[in-house]
Amino acid sequence: MNRRSDTLLPFEISLLECAIGLLRGGTDEFYGYAIAKELKDRRGARRLTGHGTLYRALDRLSQIGLIESRWEDPNAATSEGRPRRRLYRVTAVGEQAVSEARSNDGRIAGVLKGSPSLS
Amino acid sequence: MSGWMSAATRFTQTWVGAYTTGLSRQDREVRHEEINSDLWEHQYDRAADGAPAFVVALEVISRVLHGMPSDILWRFRMEGPKMEINIPLERLAGALLIALVVMLFVTASISGYDTGVEGFDAEMTRLANLSTLADNVNMVLRLVTGLGIIGAAAGFYVALQRRSQGLAALAGFGLVAAGVLALVAGALQVALVELAEQFVASSGTQQDQVLVTARSVALLVEATTGAAFITLLVSTYPLALLLGKEKLVPRWAIALPLAGGALMIGAGVVSTFSNEVGNMWLAMIGGGLCAVLWLVIAGLYLIFRPQPLALASEPVEQPASA
């Protein structure tokens, strides 16, 4: 809880990398279960990430502006007979943050400097 | 949805409900809706893989369990740096009702001596032979119960006074009285154990004197215990009225304390005009059980009553990215 706001955890970096991978593959938005599945496949893990771990990380990344989210159109979900998804997208700051975090032991202070969500 | 998946979904939603309790409606709705979507996607995706329902259910439960520490940390962050726990007062009242059931049983268990002239010396010997550990556990249990009842009185008053100050004060006053009586009964019980030890250590005339004093104290223990128990039971009536009036528990449930009260009054009348005590005790026990049943039903209902959750109809705004 006392974690520095300018430092990313390894899981958060993996999540962002995964989302960027999806973005480069043509999927610019993702939802919770989809990214959990992608993470499992990429990391060769035996199980899907826990709900709490996943949504806490997504919440924090949203708070510091590395991803942004919107709720999908309820009509689209209704027509497919499922609950509507919360769709996430990596921001430009998020893309820069991953590179900096990888080369700077998780620290992303340089990228976040001037970010309104941290001030 | 299979029974396995229904159970896993129910488990997940109960956990989400638990750790989001007390957050703002919007925060709760967002988390509920997001998890519900995840559950649906998980089930749909794995069904397409041909995974058996019980395997998917176990996967879901595993994800909930593995995420619990993060859920709790997330919750604390949502509360802010003071980590203030914001529990709805109705749920606090429910937990206190369940605690009262335990306190009722502990209070009632204090009594039970054979205070008749014949055989009281055997009671004294039995008491004196109890281990120090048993004596200490007894004493602590009674102290905690007495203080707990007084604490519950304060808790009920704080939780319910906004709804009806009069009834909340009445219930609080009754509970404080019951708590004080329970503490007095506990103190007298400690004195009785001391007297029992004096009794086995003495002989002759001195032993007889100790026995007379001890018997008086035992009668006082019984009287204060009974008074504490009845005061505690009677205190549930203003609570029942208040919670029923405010529709915080189903209104039909008020029939239980009413029936209990009628049985106890009936038992009192019978004992006044008749020598038949067997039926009187049955009626007393029946009356007490009705009140206890109400406490359990009302307590569980208040704790687990689902809080209305209208799904968010508008997209949730996130902080703009730089």
Side-chain angles (χ1 to χ4, degrees), chain B residues 296-314:
Chain B
V296 172
I297 291 172
L300 292 177
Y301 188 83
L302 283 172
I303 293 171
F304 295 109
R305 186 175 65 141
Q307 296 192 339
L309 268 180
L311 292 180
S313 54
E314 293 299 321

Side-chain angles (χ1 to χ4, degrees), chain B residues 25-300:
Chain B
R25 173 176 284 259
Q26 192 193 39
D27 287 332
R28 284 189 292 127
E29 286 173 355
V30 165
R31 183 50 70 105
H32 270 280
E33 196 172 1
E34 194 155 29
I35 295 291
N36 283 342
S37 167
D38 190 304
L39 287 171
W40 190 93
E41 301 286 353
H42 190 157
Q43 187 188 2
Y44 181 81
D45 180 57
R46 297 290 283 134
D49 292 344
F54 79 93
V55 171
V56 183
L58 288 178
E59 285 175 1
V60 167
I61 290 169
S62 164
R63 289 184 72 197
V64 174
L65 295 176
H66 280 94
M68 279 181 174
S70 289
D71 285 327
I72 292 165
L73 290 173
W74 174 82
R75 169 57 200 255
F76 281 144
R77 192 183 65 71
M78 297 295 282
E79 292 285 350
K82 285 192 292 182
M83 286 177 37
E84 175 188 330
I85 306 294
N86 180 17
I87 298 171
L89 293 175
E90 288 76 13
R91 291 200 177 170
L92 170 70
L96 288 172
L97 287 178
I98 298 294
L100 271 189
V101 176
V102 178
M103 293 170 191
L104 263 170
F105 280 110
V106 174
T107 307
S109 73
I110 290 176
S111 190
Y113 303 113
D114 176 5
T115 48
V117 178
E118 299 296 323
F120 188 61
D121 50 351
E123 282 289 322
M124 287 288 94
T125 310
R126 182 181 67 79
L127 263 184
N129 289 337
L130 286 178
S131 70
T132 311
L133 178 69
D135 284 342
N136 288 342
V137 168
N138 254 335
M139 191 178 67
V140 169
L141 202 59
R142 285 166 198 166
L143 184 67
V144 167
T145 303
L147 294 176
I149 296 170
I150 294 169
F156 277 122
Y157 185 75
V158 169
L160 301 173
Q161 54 101 12
R162 276 183 313 170
R163 293 179 179 273
S164 169
Q165 194 151 21
L167 286 171
L170 199 59
F173 179 76
L175 286 171
V176 168
V180 170
L181 283 167
L183 286 174
V184 170
L188 287 169
Q189 169 68 15
V190 172
L192 189 60
V193 171
E194 290 281 329
L195 286 168
E197 283 164 2
Q198 281 182 29
F199 172 77
V200 293
S202 57
S203 59
T205 318
Q206 193 191 6
Q207 195 177 44
D208 290 343
Q209 284 173 349
V210 171
L211 196 63
V212 170
T213 310
R215 193 161 166 269
S216 305
V217 174
L219 287 168
L220 274 175
V221 170
E222 284 212 332
T224 45
T225 300
F229 184 74
I230 289 170
T231 311
L232 199 50
L233 276 181
V234 170
S235 304
T236 63
Y237 294 107
L239 287 175
L241 276 176
L242 197 164
L243 295 174
K245 188 167 80 78
E246 293 290 319
K247 295 182 181 165
L248 289 171
V249 295
R251 282 204 157 176
W252 58 261
I254 206 166
L256 283 168
L258 289 178
L263 276 170
M264 292 179 98
I265 291 168
V269 172
V270 167
S271 69
T272 310
F273 297 105
S274 159
N275 290 328
E276 179 56 57
V277 291
N279 290 338
M280 181 201 83
W281 276 110
L282 271 180
M284 286 288 275
I285 291 168
L289 284 178
C290 282
V292 168
L293 193 59
W294 178 82
L295 283 171
V296 172
I297 291 172
L300 292 177

Side-chain angles (χ1 to χ4, degrees), chain A residues 39-115:
Chain A
L39 274 162
K40 175 178 175 279
D41 293 343
R42 285 185 185 230
R43 300 162 106 193
R46 283 193 303 124
R47 59 168 184 266
L48 290 160
T49 307
H51 294 142
T53 314
L54 177 67
Y55 291 106
R56 180 174 168 237
L58 288 171
D59 190 55
R60 180 169 183 261
L61 295 175
S62 293
Q63 290 289 324
I64 57 177
L66 304 188
I67 58 174
E68 57 191 8
S69 73
R70 68 177 179 90
W71 286 101
E72 81 171 332
D73 180 1
N75 294 329
T78 308
S79 66
E80 292 182 25
R82 58 171 172 74
R84 64 180 177 154
R85 296 165 175 163
R86 188 177 182 181
L87 300 171
Y88 295 89
R89 163 201 294 269
V90 182
T91 63
V93 181
E95 288 193 63
Q96 292 168 35
V98 172
S99 312
E100 179 156 331
R102 276 291 173 218
S103 58
N104 208 9
D105 204 21
R107 299 201 64 191
I108 53 169
V111 172
L112 295 177
K113 211 170 280 177
S115 169

